[in-house]
Amino acid sequence: MTATTTATPPPTTPKAQATPRRGGRRLTFAQILLIIAGALVLVSAVRMLTGSDQLDSVGQVSAALGLAVPIGLAGLAGLWSERAGVVNIGLEGMMILGTFGAGWIGWQTSPWLGLLAGIGFGVLGGLLHAVVTVTFGVDHIVSGVAINLLALGVTQYLAKLFFNSGKAIEAGGNPKSSPAMGSLPDYSIPGVSSGLTSLANHHWFLISDIAGIVGGLFTDLSILTILALLLFVGTWLLLWKTSFGLRLRSCGENPIAAESLGVNVYSYKYAAVAISGGLAGFGGAFLTMVPAHTYLEGQTGGRGYIGLAAMIFGNWRPGGLAMGAGLFGFSDALQLRNGGEIVHALLLLLVVLLVLLAAWKAYRRAVWQAVASAVVAAIVLVWYLVTDTVPEDFVGATPYVVTLLVLSLSAQRLRMPKADGLRYRKGQGQ
């Protein structure tokens, strides 16, 4: 009798047991509009309940937009660099270089040449970062921190050298600031800005809120703000709608595969980091030329780091980055316009958002997160009920508190480029 043996097939993994992809699907345009409409209704209701009419007034929104631009440019700079796989923690230093370049050249020649100088100084910082990280393979974080420290020291030395002698002193310069430069034009749409301002001043439910927000976006608009908005649109078109952008983003996702397809990874990384430095320098030049018309030591105030946070909040995409920059710009503007009253009103808005978050976490059966959100909501509600305003020191810290809150709440849905921050050497995949 012949014995027969039956081969045992290799075990297979059923499709139903496959690990699901994390991150969820992207929101549709209709869902985004619904979220925006809900946010407008919520803000309008909080304004009516608290009587804080400055919450979304034309002046508040206009100030927020002006303060959001340098943060957005810093975030856009980080997006270009990190989409190519280079972490750029040196954005703050590149912005500092931009402030000095714009102040130094701007007061001696013209604001437009000052803008070009600010961008050029930022490009130099970006190229230095590219040489150190791409060519020599130094850790990206170490290089970025070194550039921040180097930029601060170099600009302080150069300011004492160029702004504290001869012609500069006669023009009003000193070791910590440059002489004043000429201003660039501001624009408002005739009829539209005044009409929306009048409508916002009626303080009607929702209608006045929409008028205040739209009016703030079209009132006293600097030419540099318009250029910055065009850069956001241009970045989206270039990185997501062209072959150049596809190759650049492939360097941040899988540089080995990109090289195998004929992409010169080094060139694209250099180009991305140089553009990143130029955008950060533009953000620094904006600070010098629009709000102040002069270079001031410490002018960036950590906006490079906040821009990096806005980029992370936006999930490394221009649209989300723009919303994050707007949020941080709004919180920064609170320091300029009766911030204590507005922040106190925002406490009630925060309570509502935390309650909604707790309900959502409970629905998703994340019990501990739901409980934590509910407890924090109760604490903030008590704070709101027993006070009439908040201390000015807290108002000054609001941008940084908002940064921490946003990053902590959005961290679970982030997806950075896969090769971001990884060391790459030509031919390493062979």
Side-chain angles (χ1 to χ4, degrees):
M1 184 172 62
T2 304
T4 47
T5 58
T6 303
T8 304
T12 59
T13 302
K15 292 183 179 180
Q17 297 179 359
T19 303
R21 184 178 179 180
R22 297 178 63 92
R25 60 185 178 87
R26 292 172 58 186
L27 295 175
T28 64
F29 183 69
Q31 290 172 327
I32 293 174
L33 289 179
L34 186 62
I35 292 173
I36 293 175
L40 285 173
V41 171
L42 182 59
V43 170
S44 183
V46 169
R47 179 183 62 80
M48 297 291 288
L49 289 172
T50 60
S52 180
D53 294 327
Q54 293 297 318
L55 182 61
D56 52 8
S57 65
V58 171
Q60 174 68 23
V61 175
S62 179
L65 178 61
L67 292 170
V69 169
I71 295 174
L73 287 170
L76 201 63
L79 185 147
W80 271 89
S81 180
E82 300 205 9
R83 277 294 178 178
V86 180
V87 174
N88 193 354
I89 201 75
L91 294 173
E92 179 76 5
M94 296 172 196
M95 289 188 75
I96 292 173
L97 292 173
T99 60
F100 177 81
W104 181 35
I105 300 298
W107 78 272
Q108 299 181 80
T109 56
S110 72
W112 288 110
L113 290 179
L115 174 63
L116 294 177
I119 295 173
F121 273 57
V123 169
L124 291 178
L127 288 175
L128 176 60
H129 187 50
V131 169
V132 172
T133 57
V134 179
T135 301
F136 293 102
V138 174
D139 182 87
H140 299 189
I141 304 298
V142 173
S143 173
V145 172
I147 286 176
N148 290 337
L149 297 175
L150 179 64
L152 180 62
V154 166
T155 53
Q156 287 178 343
Y157 171 76
L158 293 178
K160 293 176 182 177
L161 186 65
F162 294 120
F163 300 150
N164 194 36
S165 60
K167 183 180 176 181
I169 292 181
E170 295 176 2
N174 61 67
K176 295 184 180 295
S177 68
S178 70
M181 69 181 75
S183 60
L184 293 173
D186 293 335
Y187 298 97
S188 297
I189 300 179
V192 176
S193 299
S194 59
L196 290 173
T197 301
S198 176
L199 190 59
N201 290 336
H202 285 84
H203 308 308
W204 294 329
F205 178 77
L206 193 58
I207 296 176
S208 293
D209 298 277
I210 296 175
I213 293 172
V214 177
L217 299 178
F218 291 98
T219 301
D220 296 332
L221 205 60
S222 169
I223 185 64
L224 296 188
T225 300
I226 298 173
L227 291 177
L229 296 176
L230 292 176
L231 284 173
F232 271 83
V233 177
T235 293
W236 177 74
L237 290 174
L238 194 58
L239 291 186
W240 273 269
K241 299 297 179 181
T242 66
S243 57
F244 169 82
L246 179 61
R247 294 189 186 101
L248 187 145
R249 288 186 291 118
S250 70
C251 295
E253 295 290 342
N254 193 332
I256 296 175
E259 182 187 352
S260 69
L261 296 175
V263 176
N264 189 331
V265 177
Y266 278 10
S267 296
Y268 277 88
K269 285 180 178 288
Y270 262 87
V273 181
I275 293 172
S276 173
L279 288 169
F282 185 8
F286 184 95
L287 289 171
T288 298
M289 302 172 68
V290 177
H293 306 297
T294 183
Y295 160 81
L296 297 171
E297 185 178 311
Q299 199 165 28
T300 56
R303 287 178 177 84
Y305 301 112
I306 298 178
L308 196 63
M311 178 205 68
I312 296 172
F313 166 79
N315 211 8
W316 288 264
R317 299 185 69 90
L321 162 61
M323 290 189 290
L327 175 63
F328 296 133
F330 179 84
S331 63
D332 202 8
L334 296 175
Q335 305 175 58
L336 305 177
R337 302 179 59 85
N338 196 12
E341 177 187 342
I342 300 177
V343 173
H344 187 259
L346 289 176
L347 292 177
L348 184 59
L349 180 61
L350 180 60
V351 170
V352 176
L353 293 176
L354 286 170
V355 169
L356 293 176
L357 178 63
W360 173 250
K361 292 298 183 181
Y363 173 76
R364 298 295 297 270
R365 297 183 180 180
V367 179
W368 287 110
Q369 295 178 4
V371 171
S373 300
V375 170
V376 175
I379 294 173
V380 176
L381 179 60
V382 172
W383 183 9
Y384 172 79
L385 293 175
V386 301
T387 59
D388 295 325
T389 185
V390 296
E392 289 300 323
D393 292 339
F394 183 82
V395 175
T398 300
Y400 310 103
V401 174
V402 170
T403 301
L404 293 175
L405 286 175
V406 166
L407 289 180
S408 62
L409 292 176
S410 62
Q412 296 179 352
R413 300 186 63 85
L414 299 178
R415 185 207 172 277
M416 65 187 295
K418 292 181 180 179
D420 193 16
L422 300 182
R423 181 178 178 181
Y424 167 77
R425 281 290 173 264
K426 186 175 182 180
Q428 70 182 45
Q430 299 177 358

